[in-house]
Amino acid sequence: MTDGPEPQADEVIEAYRRAAEVGGRAPSVHNTQPWRWLATRTGLELRADRSRQLRVADPEGRLLTISCGAALHHALLALHAAGWVPQVVRMPDARSADALAQITVSGRQAATAQQRRLFDEIDVRHTDRRPTIGHKVPHDALELIRQAAVNHGAGLHRLAGPDLDDLAVAAARANEIGLNDADQRTEMDYWVGGTRPTRTGVPSDAVPQSPPQTDVPGRDFGRPGTLEPGHGHAHSAVYGLLFTPGDQPGDWLRAGEALSACWLKATDLGVAVLPLSSVVEVPVTRQILHRMLAGAGHPMLVLRFGLADPDQAPVPGTPRLPAERTTWPGQIPQP
Ligand SMILES: Cc1cc2nc3c(=O)[nH]c(=O)nc-3n(C[C@H](O)[C@H](O)[C@H](O)COP(=O)(O)O)c2cc1C
């Protein structure tokens, strides 16, 4: 059911533009922001921008598509929060792997309190690579986070016992493989470190000065950052494996939507999230994760959940491209 008079075309285009702008605040692998939006009166189209794909680490585009799925979820939430009723067709063009979603609005309806709450978390959510502290995340909070993933067509499998030991070994192995590969090093050096005037990539001030003490190593960026690493050892962190029933681009997109949904839910519950994707990038370690799922699905991303140290300074925000670099109000320009 929708409320109010028929929306004006200009009003709808403005809503699409605003949704694209909010989509741009989504997390993405190495902050590549590999999306582009086309806002017209007939809808808002989300396309992959392959010029910002990690060609070496992510040749199939799995992480690119997961990142775009997170942007899609952010954009849909923005439309809901603004009182629109969005409809989505995912993977709308069978001939184009770059056409990821076509969004239209079918009318107006007030957002639910939950939608508004999650929308407010968009500006709070961030990646924290420092160790988590003290207590474990309560079971009830983890269950709500898992449910958010399930509601978006994915699953979240908790890794414990021997699986956790195997994850630690696999994560270390994936880091080693990445750092020993000259092409991967070059690609990572391009995207990570420095002050990053391009407004893409991971700036030094979001990367700890030294590797944090954790049972499962985070991604080794191959160079220290400037972020104070914090004290303690993240023994209390909990690890989950985000998975989908299939391993096709449509599944990757859903995984990204689920990632955004559970990360915003976690933020709302005061739980810090760190994605670990090198274990998924490297085929041999992805196989290890696949076996842990025992036929339940395909691994998309490992997520570390924990409680952040309340005495630590906040992580400086990671910049984003200006909206005009990722959104076009008319025809998509030819490269
Ligand atoms: C698909 C995906 C994979 C990611 N993989 C990693 C990772 O392996 N290690 C890491 O430290 N951050 C990882 N991140 C976090 C991004 O680097 C981060 O979202 C981006 O730099 C933007 O920063 P923000 O999340 O603080 O806004 C990943 C994010 C996404 C969406």
Side-chain angles (χ1 to χ4, degrees), residues 3-333:
D3 316 322
E6 278 290 295
Q8 298 298 307
D10 289 353
E11 200 189 356
V12 173
I13 293 180
E14 190 46 40
Y16 291 148
R17 282 214 191 100
R18 169 100 185 104
E21 194 186 306
V22 174
R25 295 186 217 158
S28 58
V29 63
H30 290 1
N31 197 29
T32 45
Q33 304 164 64
W35 42 71
R36 42 188 201 166
W37 302 92
L38 180 67
T40 66
R41 63 189 57 208
T42 56
L44 175 63
E45 194 180 325
L46 169 62
R47 299 182 70 88
D49 186 339
R50 305 273 168 198
S51 72
R52 288 198 290 279
Q53 177 170 353
L54 302 177
R55 294 280 175 187
V56 184
D58 182 32
E60 294 168 291
R62 186 184 280 101
L63 296 174
L64 170 144
T65 312
I66 294 175
S67 303
C68 289
L72 173 60
H73 180 260
H74 272 47
L76 292 173
L77 201 50
L79 287 168
H80 280 296
W84 296 96
V85 182
Q87 313 287 336
V88 197
V89 179
R90 295 173 179 81
M91 311 306 295
D93 183 351
R95 294 158 306 168
S96 166
D98 289 352
L100 298 178
Q102 177 74 32
I103 305 172
T104 48
V105 291
S106 61
R108 308 222 57 158
Q109 191 170 47
T112 62
Q114 174 71 359
Q115 286 164 340
R116 275 199 299 271
R117 247 185 115 111
L118 292 184
F119 176 73
D120 288 345
E121 296 299 348
I122 286 178
D123 284 338
V124 182
R125 187 215 57 79
H126 64 277
T127 303
D128 195 340
R129 300 179 176 87
R130 299 171 299 190
T132 55
I133 50 137
H135 317 287
K136 274 206 175 356
V137 178
H139 176 77
D140 291 0
L142 285 172
E143 183 48 30
L144 289 169
I145 295 168
R146 191 189 69 82
Q147 200 54 55
V150 170
N151 291 345
H152 288 80
L156 189 60
H157 173 68
R158 182 159 173 187
L159 297 173
D163 280 352
L164 202 50
D165 298 337
D166 289 350
L167 172 65
V169 174
R173 179 89 185 103
N175 276 337
E176 191 184 295
I177 291 172
L179 291 176
N180 286 332
D181 180 318
D183 291 340
Q184 283 229 35
R185 278 301 283 260
T186 307
E187 186 174 70
M188 194 144 67
D189 286 349
Y190 177 82
W191 288 103
V192 180
T195 51
R196 319 239 25 113
T198 55
R199 304 187 69 79
T200 55
V202 182
S204 284
D205 59 8
V207 177
Q209 286 163 7
S210 55
Q213 298 286 305
T214 61
D215 295 329
V216 178
R219 185 189 282 272
D220 187 340
F221 289 113
R223 52 156 84 186
T226 59
L227 181 66
E228 178 70 47
H231 307 291
H233 189 293
H235 282 312
S236 58
V238 173
Y239 293 84
L241 179 51
L242 186 70
F243 67 94
T244 45
D247 196 16
Q248 297 299 315
D251 299 294
W252 307 341
L253 191 73
R254 289 278 192 185
E257 294 180 70
L259 169 68
S260 168
C262 61
W263 202 337
L264 293 175
K265 185 70 197 170
T267 307
D268 188 38
L269 294 164
V271 174
V273 178
L274 174 64
L276 305 179
S277 55
S278 41
V279 262
V280 185
E281 283 160 21
V282 176
V284 65
T285 53
R286 187 164 71 241
Q287 267 306 321
I288 296 171
L289 299 178
H290 193 198
R291 279 201 294 274
M292 290 179 192
L293 289 170
H298 296 263
M300 294 289 129
L301 209 52
V302 172
L303 299 175
R304 186 190 80 179
F305 300 102
L307 301 177
D309 184 345
D311 296 331
Q312 276 180 340
V315 180
T318 296
R320 294 294 193 271
L321 286 165
E324 58 275 17
R325 287 276 314 278
T326 54
T327 311
W328 285 280
Q331 289 297 308
I332 292 178

